Amino acid sequence: MTQDERLTDLEVKTEKVMKQLTTLDATKAIGPDKVSPWVLNEAAQALSVLLARIFNESLLSGELSSCWKKANVVPIFKKGDREQALNYRPASLTSILYKEHERITRLRLVTHLENRTLVM
């Protein structure tokens, strides 16, 4: 296996973070870290350099911020009698920053695998 066939660099580029932030749905719910998607969207240019550094440090260290591991769990009504607890399902509201970090990393991994025809 040659060097270019191995995934050795997962560096998150500032431009990628900027693109993700500018496409955020500003109406999405705020997670436990209290970071609004509207603020991230509006301040994407100013925040993208710093967030790229934070995302890269997380990838290098293999650690996540403790606030990214938290979730607000809320009941979502399915159907039937609203008085019955079994008619609700839990939904977890997690950090938008964590979701964007995860999305960027996943896209990089999928691209790597597709370029090597390891995934269809």
Side-chain angles (χ1 to χ4, degrees):
M1 181 178 283
T2 65
Q3 178 67 24
D4 62 329
E5 291 176 330
R6 286 184 264 157
L7 181 61
T8 56
D9 182 20
L10 265 178
E11 181 182 3
V12 175
K13 306 283 188 204
T14 302
E15 299 78 22
K16 188 64 178 171
V17 175
M18 171 89 109
K19 180 180 177 187
Q20 290 298 121
L21 294 180
T22 58
T23 59
L24 279 175
D25 181 353
T27 64
K28 290 287 186 186
I30 296 173
D33 58 3
K34 307 289 188 223
V35 176
S36 163
W38 180 83
V39 170
L40 293 172
N41 187 288
E42 291 295 313
Q45 187 170 4
L47 294 173
S48 58
V49 173
L50 177 62
L51 289 174
R53 289 180 68 187
I54 291 170
F55 293 169
N56 284 319
E57 183 60 35
S58 174
L59 288 169
L60 285 172
S61 69
E63 297 179 16
L64 292 174
S65 170
S66 61
C67 67
W68 287 356
K69 297 176 186 178
K70 295 178 182 175
N72 293 336
V73 180
V74 295
I76 304 293
F77 179 69
K78 295 186 295 186
K79 62 181 178 177
D81 183 3
R82 289 188 177 269
E83 299 293 320
Q84 296 293 318
L86 292 175
N87 292 330
Y88 290 82
R89 66 174 177 82
S92 298
L93 301 174
T94 58
S95 167
I96 294 167
L97 290 174
Y98 171 69
K99 286 189 257 187
E100 293 310 309
H101 176 41
E102 181 179 52
R103 184 173 290 128
I104 291 167
T105 304
R106 183 186 56 79
L107 288 171
R108 174 70 177 93
L109 288 170
V110 168
T111 301
H112 174 80
L113 294 172
E114 287 175 343
N115 288 342
R116 280 131 191 95
T117 60
L118 299 172
V119 170
M120 295 186 192

